[in-house]
């Protein structure tokens, strides 16, 4: 019977599962290679010339990642690396496929993105490797609680000094390097801060409260941090007009707070406050109003912007058509027209290409892969032996889940569109790099959790005492 | 801390579930609706991703497809002799909704028709691209050419029918336009120009414009008189004295535009010289209801004539007595399309049997299998054969020695009726010159034609129809007669 007990220390030790990882990883590299060949055949009738380069590149990156994990985190979760690799690889293929679109090439802002994306993936895996090697024990991060806070603040405020792009002020531009989206990194740093802070304050937050109408109301002084985060996420929303990031931060904080205190009342508060904040901001922030408008009536917005009489986004409707036109089985790689969505086809709306060219089947698979990553994160949290690791893991997993939901929900029209990136798949350096780091931290925590406990120091008395078993 | 973590896990599971449900909703439940949304550009992209099937006249393609490899559309529609065929083909544009045959038979032409399913499946298995089917029309290229050339730079329309089957042989309308000019993705300027043109080149005058039929309507009135036994035949003297006044009016006479005698003449003579007083009185004597019934038998007041292109409704309305009397001579408020008047001539020529007009003979799959053949269908019997024949003899008199002599063809029996329809407030507009006719050989009549010409500035008498329109009708009839030899 396999050992299913993941919570208690066991000296038996769990199988490292590194070979499972290797097998899955091989699959995760081959799958995008086939996809790549498929796109080439569909578009030009021949195998794409760069296929070997991309295939080898992805294989090499995955291989290095695997070897480093084998050496430095042998007990890490075997699924996370292959799952991230397959998403990264499929994302590369879709970006390359959209690079070939004549329609996008005709636009003024067009620049091929696949090569850069491969480069960023390499950087991401490099960061992954660095974290796996140099982060000996994730509990070290606990020491940097307040530094993390300062860094997170700096990262979040920095875009204010740079011009807005596409209606949101979430980029910083480094001359010669291109633009960076600090919010993606802030996500991880903030999780570290929250985990460290809540570790210390959890008892005060959980126990010192008054009972009121069946709910535990927190004390004013404990309410401070939650109010601060709330205010902060609102400020991000107002000044950077970044609905997604503020939702992400707030959601992550609530999740971690709830896990730390085990009090449902915090969730109720959190929801009430976010609702109040959202309504408040939406009442005067036109950017948010436009997004909501585009969500409620995508076709109307489309027609208006087509005719040039107002209307702010024709992309929402284009994305819905992309999904609908894909149907159940999709048009096939390279044979859809999701590039009609325009410049954001390979970033915010990359999921629409999945939906159109791979159909409902492909979309479900991709959503499930994201779901699996989240599930492995939650499992890591369950297995973690220390509260800090638990909190950090659930924070990262929760943030990942919220981000996927917000982006995918926005693109499919389930919720208003917010303009975040689909982790690993979407074109964008910051996102790929930051999410590889996120996976690395999760794997380190899972490694610590699944590592066999050191064998108890042998008791010299043990040899003297004979235990007679029946 | 594990209990809240488990709850968070459930929450995350719900988020994923919500996304999956939404995905299924979009890509399964709503898929067809989104896919076929007219604003979804993919509909057009798919339409032009392969060459379109063709519209065929006399075995020759009058349409084509050109590979342009544009950003959105691979193929573009082309037209051969587009101006001449525009009232038949309509246009298929990469931007605008297709019209006429291009619109009605769009599914066949694109290959999307369900009846082509087998073809599509075979093509898919054998790796061939999707192909469109062809639309084989009933039109006669020679007749169409005669009609189009005859109209020349005048504004007007011609409709010609084979009375025996209802096959449409010619359908011309001028001024016209070349659909090739608006077929592409960037032809917005040409489109705007065509739409703003005050001469309305895109109006299909043969099918979609209704005119007061003028004196040509007297054929319908004569048919009503015979069918209702008001007069036994066309040679019976009619009880219609000189200076007949409109009913319910104080001495408002219905003037005749001819100097020939019209009092108490037979219907033959009245048709021959287009006597208003005779037919106005017939209409008044029969009454509005009987006139409507007769007009309806010829196809008036029908909303749903599809040939398979939709045809505008020709009307003979409910009206008061003086108006009804005027309607009997094709003035007042009755209106007809050129096709409708061709149907009137065709019914008379076909011994009283009106065949349903149609212009698509066959639909053909890309592999040349015929998937549909139109069977001629009887639409109604406006006249008994005897009455039809007596009316024919009167119409033939019109051409032999009446107002329609310019339509005479040597060696062929031709029947016809001229018309000059006044319109506008107090007849201020230029009158419409009408002519409807048929040619007859031993085995029946192979062609009936209606011609209308708008805006003849010079002539305001009944001869205008004979002078302007009749020669065109004659050329069209000759073209048909020569090609059926």
């Amino acid at each position: 019977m396999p050992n299913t007990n993941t919570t208690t220390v066991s000296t038996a030790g769990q199988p490292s599962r590194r070979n499972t990882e290797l097998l899955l990883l091989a699959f995760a590299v081959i799958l995008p290679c086939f996809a790549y060949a498929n796109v080439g055949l569909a578009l030009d009738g021949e195998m794409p010339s760069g296929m070997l380069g991309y295939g080898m590149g992805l294989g090499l990156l995955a291989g290095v990642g695997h070897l480093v994990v084998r050496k430095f985190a042998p007990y890490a979760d075997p699924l996370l690396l292959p799952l991230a690799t397959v998403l990264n690889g499929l994302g590369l293929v879709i970006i390359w496929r959209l690079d070939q679109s004549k329609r996008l090439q005709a636009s003024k802002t067009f620049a091929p993105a696949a090569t850069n994306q491969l480069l960023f993936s390499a950087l991401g895996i490099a960061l992954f490797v660095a974290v796996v090697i140099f982060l000996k024990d994730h509990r070290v991060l606990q020491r940097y609680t307040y530094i993390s806070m300062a860094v997170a603040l700096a990262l979040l405020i920095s875009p204010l000094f740079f011009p807005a792009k596409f209606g949101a002020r979430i980029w910083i531009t480094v001359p010669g390097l291109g633009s960076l989206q600090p919010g993606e990194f802030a996500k991880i740093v903030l999780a570290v801060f929250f985990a460290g802070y809540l570790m210390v304050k959890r008892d005060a937050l959980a126990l010192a409260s008054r009972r009121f109408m069946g709910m535990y109301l927190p004390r004013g002084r404990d309410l401070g941090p939650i109010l601060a985060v709330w205010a902060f996420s609102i400020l991000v929303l107002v000044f950077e007009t970044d609905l997604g990031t503020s939702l992400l931060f707030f959601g992550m904080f609530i999740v971690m707070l709830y896990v730390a205190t085990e009090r449902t009342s915090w969730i109720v508060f959190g929801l009430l406050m976010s609702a109040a904040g959202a309504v408040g901001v939406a009442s005067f922030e036109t950017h948010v109003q436009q997004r909501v408008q585009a969500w409620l009536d995508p076709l109307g917005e489309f027609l208006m912007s087509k005719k040039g009489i107002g209307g702010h986004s024709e992309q929402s409707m284009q994305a819905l058509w992309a999904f609908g036109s894909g149907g159940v089985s999709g048009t096939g790689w390279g044979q859809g027209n999701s590039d009609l969505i325009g410049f954001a086809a390979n970033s915010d709306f990359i999921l629409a290409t999945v939906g159109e060219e791979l159909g409902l089947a492909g979309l479900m698979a991709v959503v499930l892969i994201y779901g699996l990553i989240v599930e492995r994160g939650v499992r890591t949290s369950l297995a973690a032996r220390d509260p800090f690791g638990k909190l950090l893991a659930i924070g990262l997993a929760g943030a990942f889940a919220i981000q996927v939901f917000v982006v995918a929900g926005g693109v499919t029209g389930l919720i208003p569109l917010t303009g975040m990136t689909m982790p690993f798949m979407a074109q964008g350096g910051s996102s790929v790099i930051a999410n590889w780091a996120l996976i690395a931290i999760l794997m380190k925590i899972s490694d610590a959790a699944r590592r066999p406990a050191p064998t108890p120091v042998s008791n010299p008395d043990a040899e003297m005492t004979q235990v007679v078993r029946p | 801390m594990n209990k809240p973590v488990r709850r968070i896990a459930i929450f995350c599971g719900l988020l994923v579930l919500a996304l999956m449900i939404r995905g299924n909703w979009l890509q399964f439940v709503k898929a067809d609706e989104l896919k076929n949304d007219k604003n979804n550009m993919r509909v057009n992209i798919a339409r032009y991703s392969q060459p379109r099937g063709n519209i065929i006249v006399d075995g020759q393609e009058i349409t084509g497809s050109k590979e342009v490899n544009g950003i959105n559309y691979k193929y573009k529609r082309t037209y051969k002799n587009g101006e001449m065929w525009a009232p038949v083909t309509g246009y298929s544009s990469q931007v605008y909704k297709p019209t006429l045959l291009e619109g009605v038979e769009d599914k066949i032409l694109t290959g999307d028709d369900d009846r082509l399913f087998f073809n599509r499946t075979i093509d898919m298995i054998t790796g061939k691209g999707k192909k469109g089917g062809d639309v084989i029309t009933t039109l006669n290229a020679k007749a169409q050419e005669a009609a189009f050339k005859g109209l020349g730079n005048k504004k007007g329309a011609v409709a010609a029918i084979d009375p025996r089957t209802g096959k449409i042989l010619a359908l011309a309308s001028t001024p016209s336009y070349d659909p090739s000019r608006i077929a592409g993705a960037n032809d917005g300027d040409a489109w705007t120009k065509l739409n703003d043109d005050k001469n309305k080149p895109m109006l299909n005058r043969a099918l979609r414009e209704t005119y007061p039929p003028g004196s040509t309507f007297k054929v319908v009135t004569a048919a009503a008189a015979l069918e209702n036994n008001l007069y036994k035949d066309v040679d019976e003297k009619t009880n219609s004295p000189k200076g007949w006044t409109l009913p319910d009016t104080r001495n408002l006479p219905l003037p005749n535009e001819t100097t020939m005698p019209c009092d108490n003449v037979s219907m033959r003579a009245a048709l021959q010289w287009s006597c208003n007083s005779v037919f106005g009185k017939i209409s008044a004597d029969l009454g509005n209801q009987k006139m409507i019934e007769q007009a309806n038998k010829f196809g008036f007041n029908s909303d749903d004539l599809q040939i398979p292109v939709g045809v505008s409704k020709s009307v003979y309305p409910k009206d008061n007595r003086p108006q009804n009397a005027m309607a009997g001579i094709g003035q007042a408020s009755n209106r007809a399309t050129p096709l409708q008047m061709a149907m009137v001539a065709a019914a008379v020529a076909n011994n009283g049997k009106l065949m349903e007009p149609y212009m698509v003979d066959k639909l053909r799959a890309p592999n040349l299998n015929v998937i549909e053949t139109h069977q001629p269908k009887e639409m109604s019997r406006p006249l008994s054969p005897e009455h039809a024949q007596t009316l024919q003899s009167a119409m033939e008199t019109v051409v032999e020695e009446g107002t329609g002599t310019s339509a005479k063809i040597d060696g062929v029996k031709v029947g016809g009726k001229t018309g000059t329809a006044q319109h506008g407030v107090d007849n201020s507009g230029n009158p419409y010159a009408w002519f409807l006719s048929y040619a007859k050989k031993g085995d029946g009549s192979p062609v009936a034609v209606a011609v209308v010409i708008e805006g003849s500035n010079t002539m305001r008498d009944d001869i205008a129809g004979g002078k302007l329109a009749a020669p065109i009708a004659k050329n069209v009839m000759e073209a048909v007669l020569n090609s059926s030899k």
Side-chain angles (χ1 to χ4, degrees):
Chain A
M1 180 188 148
N3 190 341
T4 51
N5 186 346
T6 52
T7 53
T8 52
V9 177
S10 144
T11 52
Q14 304 194 1
S16 75
R17 297 277 186 225
R18 289 280 68 81
N19 291 333
T20 312
E21 184 182 78
L22 185 61
L23 204 71
L24 289 173
L25 213 47
F27 187 60
V29 172
I30 290 170
L31 199 66
C33 285
F34 275 115
Y36 201 79
N38 204 334
V39 174
L41 288 172
L43 289 178
D44 311 317
E46 58 187 38
M47 298 292 258
S49 54
M51 182 177 163
L52 205 66
Y54 281 98
M56 298 252 285
L58 190 67
L60 199 69
L61 291 178
V64 169
H66 172 72
L67 287 179
V68 170
V69 169
R70 204 173 257 272
K71 177 88 174 74
F72 293 94
Y75 291 93
D77 190 292
L79 254 65
L80 284 169
L81 184 60
L83 290 175
T85 305
V86 77
L87 287 177
N88 202 158
L90 291 178
L92 272 169
V93 175
I94 295 176
I95 292 165
W96 182 80
R97 175 257 173 282
L98 289 169
D99 278 350
Q100 317 302 310
S101 148
K102 278 193 236 164
R103 211 171 278 136
L104 291 180
Q105 283 165 0
S107 83
K108 288 189 191 87
T109 51
F110 174 79
T115 324
N116 271 346
Q117 183 74 358
L118 187 62
L119 198 71
F120 287 130
S121 305
L123 279 177
I125 297 213
L127 190 59
F128 172 88
V129 165
V131 170
V132 171
I133 293 177
F134 295 111
L135 187 67
K136 294 276 181 243
D137 187 340
H138 63 270
R139 279 170 295 188
V140 175
L141 293 173
Q142 210 174 335
R143 287 189 215 146
Y144 304 114
T145 303
Y146 290 96
I147 293 178
S148 303
M149 183 185 72
V151 171
L153 282 177
L155 283 173
L156 280 177
I157 292 168
S158 55
L160 284 183
F161 304 105
F162 294 89
K165 274 190 204 173
F166 312 125
R169 204 180 276 278
I170 53 176
W171 276 273
I172 60 174
T173 318
V174 186
L177 271 178
S179 43
L180 224 83
Q181 224 174 319
E184 289 284 344
F185 295 98
K187 176 175 71 182
I188 298 171
V189 184
L190 262 183
V192 172
F193 161 61
F194 287 155
Y197 178 82
L198 291 171
M199 255 288 296
V200 178
K201 299 281 179 171
R202 56 190 287 239
D203 289 338
L205 287 165
L207 302 173
S209 50
R210 286 160 295 159
R211 213 177 140 79
F212 177 74
M213 287 174 66
M215 277 201 328
Y216 290 96
L217 290 186
R219 294 186 306 189
R221 73 178 97 140
D222 301 323
L223 208 59
I226 198 174
L227 285 174
V229 172
W230 175 71
F232 196 74
S233 56
I234 298 278
L235 285 181
V236 169
L237 176 54
V238 171
F239 287 113
E240 299 177 2
T241 54
D242 187 0
L243 196 64
T245 309
S246 62
L247 200 68
L248 176 63
F249 294 156
F250 199 67
M252 183 168 78
F253 182 62
I254 297 291
V255 163
M256 294 176 76
L257 194 61
Y258 171 61
V259 170
T261 60
E262 309 193 16
R263 285 257 182 269
T264 322
S265 50
W266 284 106
I267 292 191
V268 177
F269 271 107
L271 291 178
L272 286 177
M273 284 170 70
S274 58
V279 169
V281 171
S283 64
F284 66 87
E285 186 65 68
T286 50
H287 182 72
V288 178
Q289 287 166 358
Q290 288 164 9
R291 288 284 165 91
V292 172
Q293 183 55 39
W295 171 58
L296 291 174
D297 182 16
L299 185 60
E301 287 282 307
F302 173 84
L303 293 176
M304 280 205 292
S305 85
K306 249 294 168 282
K307 286 179 193 143
I309 43 162
H312 310 288
S313 169
E314 54 174 78
Q315 296 171 334
S316 300
M317 197 61 226
Q318 286 285 15
L320 293 184
W321 283 327
F323 282 109
S325 305
V328 173
S329 52
T331 57
W333 284 101
Q335 299 179 69
N337 288 297
S338 60
D339 44 356
L340 283 171
I341 294 167
F343 65 88
N346 56 9
S347 50
D348 298 22
F349 285 93
I350 198 160
L351 204 63
T353 305
V354 175
E356 179 165 7
E357 303 201 338
L358 306 188
L360 180 60
L363 183 72
M364 290 299 104
V366 167
V367 167
L368 275 179
I369 292 176
Y370 280 112
L372 269 177
I373 291 181
V374 174
E375 191 263 344
R376 298 315 287 187
V378 171
R379 205 176 162 77
T380 298
S381 171
L382 280 174
R385 292 160 185 166
D386 62 307
F388 177 76
K390 250 184 210 314
L391 276 175
L392 187 55
I394 195 69
L396 292 176
F400 195 87
I402 291 170
Q403 183 164 359
V404 168
F405 177 74
V406 168
V407 188
V411 174
T412 54
L414 183 60
I415 56 170
L417 190 71
T418 55
M420 274 201 292
T421 46
M422 204 73 209
F424 294 114
M425 292 192 103
Q427 183 254 322
S430 332
S431 169
V432 170
I433 297 171
N435 282 303
W436 272 115
L438 186 148
I439 294 291
I441 295 172
L442 279 180
M443 284 183 74
K444 280 309 272 193
I445 300 173
S446 73
D447 176 48
R450 296 175 76 246
R451 192 184 289 272
T455 41
V457 183
S458 53
N459 189 343
D461 292 342
E463 279 167 25
M464 314 293 277
T465 316
Q466 289 289 318
V467 179
V468 180
R469 293 176 196 275
Chain B
M1 284 163 82
N2 280 348
K3 197 166 127 196
V5 170
R6 289 204 171 89
R7 287 198 179 143
I8 297 294
I10 292 171
F11 171 69
C12 292
L14 289 178
L15 290 187
V16 171
L17 188 68
L19 289 179
M20 296 180 82
I21 291 173
R22 178 69 184 178
N24 276 281
W25 170 253
L26 279 184
Q27 301 203 261
F28 185 70
V29 182
K30 299 284 260 186
D32 282 342
E33 192 182 313
L34 289 166
K35 196 176 176 173
N36 301 319
D37 188 331
K38 63 178 167 38
N39 293 304
N40 186 347
M41 215 167 140
R42 289 168 184 79
V43 176
N44 252 356
I45 290 176
R47 183 199 299 279
Y48 293 105
S49 61
Q50 85 262 348
R52 209 169 151 77
N54 282 312
I55 297 173
I56 291 172
V57 173
D58 285 345
Q60 303 287 319
E61 294 157 356
I62 56 167
T63 58
S65 287
K66 191 166 81 182
E67 192 166 349
V68 288
N69 263 326
I71 282 182
N72 292 322
Y73 308 116
K74 206 168 167 201
Y75 289 91
K76 187 173 127 171
R77 192 57 147 171
T78 58
Y79 295 88
K80 291 167 197 160
N81 217 341
E83 289 209 359
M84 182 169 101
W85 290 114
V88 176
T89 58
Y91 55 82
S92 172
S93 152
Q94 290 176 346
V95 182
Y96 310 104
K97 212 172 164 240
T99 56
L100 300 179
L101 279 186
E102 292 274 31
V104 174
E105 302 296 356
D106 191 49
K107 286 200 156 178
I108 289 288
L109 293 165
T110 56
D112 284 335
D113 194 278
D114 288 340
R115 287 166 291 182
L116 297 175
F117 176 78
F118 186 67
N119 271 288
R120 278 205 303 273
T121 315
I122 295 287
D123 283 349
M124 203 170 72
I125 292 167
T126 54
K128 283 190 213 141
K130 196 170 89 176
K131 275 196 215 143
D134 295 325
V135 173
I136 298 167
T137 67
T138 60
L139 283 120
N140 180 318
K142 286 271 180 312
Q144 179 79 4
E145 203 179 333
F148 184 69
K149 289 216 170 122
L151 287 168
N153 51 13
K154 295 184 278 284
K155 201 187 275 188
V158 175
I161 302 178
D162 182 339
R164 299 166 300 184
T165 54
K167 280 183 181 172
I168 292 178
L169 302 170
L171 213 55
S173 169
T174 52
S176 188
Y177 67 103
D178 184 358
S180 299
R181 277 166 61 199
I182 51 167
N186 303 311
D187 295 342
D189 288 345
W191 171 265
T192 320
K193 222 166 123 192
L194 281 175
N195 274 286
D196 291 349
D197 193 331
K198 63 177 177 13
N199 286 322
K200 296 191 190 160
M202 285 165 83
L203 174 66
N204 187 342
R205 293 177 168 80
L207 301 179
R208 302 279 168 85
E209 178 71 303
T210 56
Y211 300 90
S215 301
T216 55
F217 194 78
K218 288 169 184 165
V219 174
V220 178
T221 310
L226 294 169
E227 282 294 294
N228 290 292
N229 295 319
L230 185 64
Y231 298 110
K232 275 200 292 295
D233 67 46
V234 290
D235 291 313
E236 186 183 343
K237 290 278 176 216
T238 58
N239 178 21
S240 42
K242 194 172 188 173
W244 180 77
T245 58
L246 289 170
D248 298 346
T249 61
R250 197 181 294 262
N251 280 330
L252 188 62
L254 183 58
N256 287 314
E257 307 237 343
T258 173
T259 51
M260 303 307 281
C262 283
D263 42 332
N264 295 327
V265 293
S266 66
M267 285 203 284
R268 183 190 299 279
L271 274 178
Q272 187 179 351
W273 303 115
S274 204
C275 295
N276 291 341
S277 53
V278 173
F279 290 102
K281 182 165 184 293
I282 289 174
S283 182
D285 287 350
L286 289 172
N288 192 222
Q289 190 53 43
K290 281 186 175 151
M291 284 301 290
I292 290 175
E293 278 166 20
Q294 186 63 44
N296 287 357
K297 280 189 199 164
F298 278 109
F300 280 78
N301 297 323
S302 162
D303 278 325
D304 53 357
L305 182 58
Q306 313 277 338
I307 63 168
V309 170
V311 181
S312 292
K313 179 159 91 167
S314 301
V315 284
Y316 190 99
K318 275 206 169 79
D319 233 327
N320 59 24
R321 290 186 67 212
Q323 288 288 321
N324 177 55
M326 288 297 286
I329 60 165
Q331 294 294 156
S333 48
N334 64 340
R335 300 183 72 84
T337 58
L339 180 72
Q340 173 61 62
M341 293 319 289
M343 285 160 69
V344 169
V348 176
N350 196 36
N351 292 337
K353 197 198 283 183
L354 176 59
M355 301 301 289
E356 195 175 80
Y358 67 99
M359 60 198 274
V360 174
D361 192 32
K362 287 182 182 114
L363 298 177
R364 195 168 72 181
N367 63 4
L368 306 185
N369 280 348
V370 172
I371 51 177
E372 188 185 306
T373 305
H374 189 281
Q375 298 299 332
K377 212 162 82 190
E378 187 181 322
M379 197 168 153
S380 63
R381 291 197 187 217
L383 283 160
S384 70
E386 303 77 50
H387 290 152
Q389 273 152 13
T390 180
L391 194 49
Q392 280 169 22
S393 74
M395 285 177 74
E396 280 151 22
T397 307
V398 172
V399 173
E400 292 293 323
E401 49 203 53
T403 53
T405 46
S406 44
K408 259 190 218 170
I409 301 174
D410 287 343
V412 182
K413 266 191 185 168
V414 177
K417 180 70 196 86
T418 55
T420 306
Q422 294 158 345
H423 73 120
V425 179
D426 293 332
N427 301 333
S428 56
N430 290 323
Y432 299 127
W434 275 94
F435 191 73
L436 56 87
S437 66
Y438 62 86
K440 209 174 154 189
K441 296 197 300 185
D443 57 343
S445 166
V447 56
V449 194
V451 178
V452 65
I453 289 171
E454 293 181 34
S456 52
N457 289 318
T458 46
M459 299 171 227
R460 292 197 61 134
D461 58 33
D462 214 48
I463 310 298
K467 277 233 172 96
L468 281 171
I472 301 174
K474 178 188 167 187
N475 288 343
V476 172
M477 289 187 293
E478 275 182 332
V480 175
L481 290 169
N482 290 338
S483 58
S484 65
K485 261 177 201 163

